[in-house]
Amino acid sequence: MALSPARQGHLAMLAFSAAVSLSFSFGHIVAKEIAPTALNTVRFALAALILLGLARSLRIPVRPIFTGFWRFGLMGGLMAVYFITMFEALRLTTAVSTAAVFTLTPLMAAGCGLLIAGQRSGRWTLIALSIGALGAIWVIFRADLHALLRFELGRGEALFAIGALGHALVPALARKLASDINPLQTSLGTVLGSLLVTGIYGFGDLISTDFASLRPAVWMVIAYLAIVATAGSFFLIQFASQRLPASKVMAYTYLVPSWVVLWDFLFYGTTPPALLLAGVAATLLALAMLLRGEAP
């Protein structure tokens, strides 16, 4: 039985959440070994080559990308801000905490979707997004009520919140500006825009990095980030953005902290405190409410 467009979008975002969560765990491993701008410039270049080869093999024209390329420069620039601040934050805080900040993007995306694309969220959706945001905040403050009351937000979390806002703008912009071309073309254009912005911004770091001396593990992480977390996730989010409202697209970020907690347990044997799991449970409840709210 063929899946409806909405279910196709949900399946794409489920895969997106798993792919993105591993980038937090892997990125934390190598964040201090290579400058974020150098790493991201290389990953965007590799991802662009992969997407270009895929477009050629599928005989999808790339010329429409360069008609009004400013659209992709804008979306790509926002994604570049997101990725650069992510790796800067991973130098300063934990993968779980950074992933928790990322889960604030659905609430941001709902506001961006309303302002940019005129997408209105119902009461049920807003309640679910609020529950998810509260769960994410609980994880960000590491289940420390005193820190929450004192509002001790770490520098890494605050920095990445700026990047998360940039990411939240992309689905609404894709719906508004790039609905006339297919997801693969949009993904390639956005990656090229990200490459352009990151390459210019991080040119100094790029030429000063001794790539020959990097450990094989760093290259493995770069390959994963380029193939799965960039080329793959860009395609998945563009694919889903044409089938779901911006808030529903970003709702799947609520799964990211749960994935990261799972990866940390599997990779490092790290057992999260029970109170921290309460925040993860709240984000999962929010996702369930959003999906239930859409069910016929």
Side-chain angles (χ1 to χ4, degrees), residues 141 144-152:
F141 285 96
D144 186 342
L145 183 59
H146 295 293
L148 177 60
L149 293 175
R150 293 193 303 270
F151 199 69
E152 291 182 353

Side-chain angles (χ1 to χ4, degrees), residues 1-295:
M1 183 177 66
L3 294 175
S4 67
R7 291 187 182 276
Q8 291 174 11
H10 285 302
L11 185 61
M13 290 311 298
L14 180 63
F16 168 86
S17 67
V20 167
S21 66
L22 273 171
S23 70
F24 285 100
S25 297
F26 290 162
H28 186 67
I29 296 172
V30 303
K32 296 181 180 180
E33 298 187 44
I34 180 173
T37 49
L39 182 151
N40 283 295
T41 301
V42 174
R43 77 185 285 192
F44 289 139
L46 291 174
L49 290 174
I50 292 167
L51 289 171
L52 181 60
L54 184 58
R56 292 295 189 188
S57 65
L58 296 175
R59 297 182 178 180
I60 295 175
V62 298
R63 183 172 295 180
I65 295 171
F66 300 99
T67 301
F69 184 75
W70 65 270
R71 301 174 293 175
F72 304 109
L74 175 60
M75 291 189 290
L78 290 170
M79 292 302 295
V81 170
Y82 159 72
F83 283 115
I84 291 171
T85 57
M86 169 185 165
F87 279 90
E88 291 288 1
L90 285 170
R91 294 174 176 226
L92 302 170
T93 187
T94 66
V96 173
S97 186
T98 310
V101 175
F102 185 56
T103 60
L104 295 176
T105 53
L107 200 56
M108 297 178 185
C112 295
L114 175 62
L115 294 174
I116 296 172
Q119 298 172 337
R120 296 185 178 274
S121 299
R123 182 180 301 176
W124 180 265
T125 298
L126 291 175
I127 291 173
L129 292 174
S130 300
I131 291 174
L134 289 174
I137 290 171
W138 187 244
V139 176
I140 291 170
F141 285 96
R142 300 172 181 83
D144 186 342
L145 183 59
H146 295 293
L148 177 60
L149 293 175
R150 293 193 303 270
F151 199 69
E152 291 182 353
L153 188 64
R155 181 185 171 194
E157 290 88 347
L159 179 65
F160 188 53
I162 298 173
L165 176 60
H167 194 289
L169 284 162
V170 172
L173 288 173
R175 190 76 169 254
K176 181 77 172 181
L177 302 176
S179 60
D180 57 325
I181 61 177
N182 71 38
L184 182 57
Q185 292 170 322
T186 306
S187 301
L188 177 56
T190 305
V191 169
L192 289 173
S194 299
L195 175 60
L196 179 64
V197 172
T198 308
I200 294 173
Y201 176 76
F203 182 74
D205 287 334
L206 185 66
I207 61 175
S208 64
T209 299
D210 184 4
F211 288 99
S213 66
L214 295 176
R215 292 187 302 132
V218 178
W219 283 108
M220 291 174 64
V221 170
I222 291 175
Y224 175 83
L225 293 174
I227 297 168
V228 180
T230 306
S233 69
F234 273 42
F235 174 79
L236 290 171
I237 199 170
Q238 300 297 342
F239 180 88
S241 294
Q242 304 302 329
R243 290 160 174 78
L244 298 170
S247 59
K248 296 284 178 72
V249 170
M250 288 290 96
Y252 276 86
T253 61
Y254 286 148
L255 285 179
V256 173
S258 302
W259 284 114
V260 174
V261 168
L262 175 62
W263 303 140
D264 280 359
F265 175 73
L266 293 177
F267 297 158
Y268 311 112
T270 304
T271 303
L275 287 176
L276 187 68
L277 291 177
V280 173
T283 60
L284 294 176
L285 173 62
L287 176 63
M289 290 175 65
L290 286 168
L291 297 183
R292 177 62 180 172
E294 187 174 293

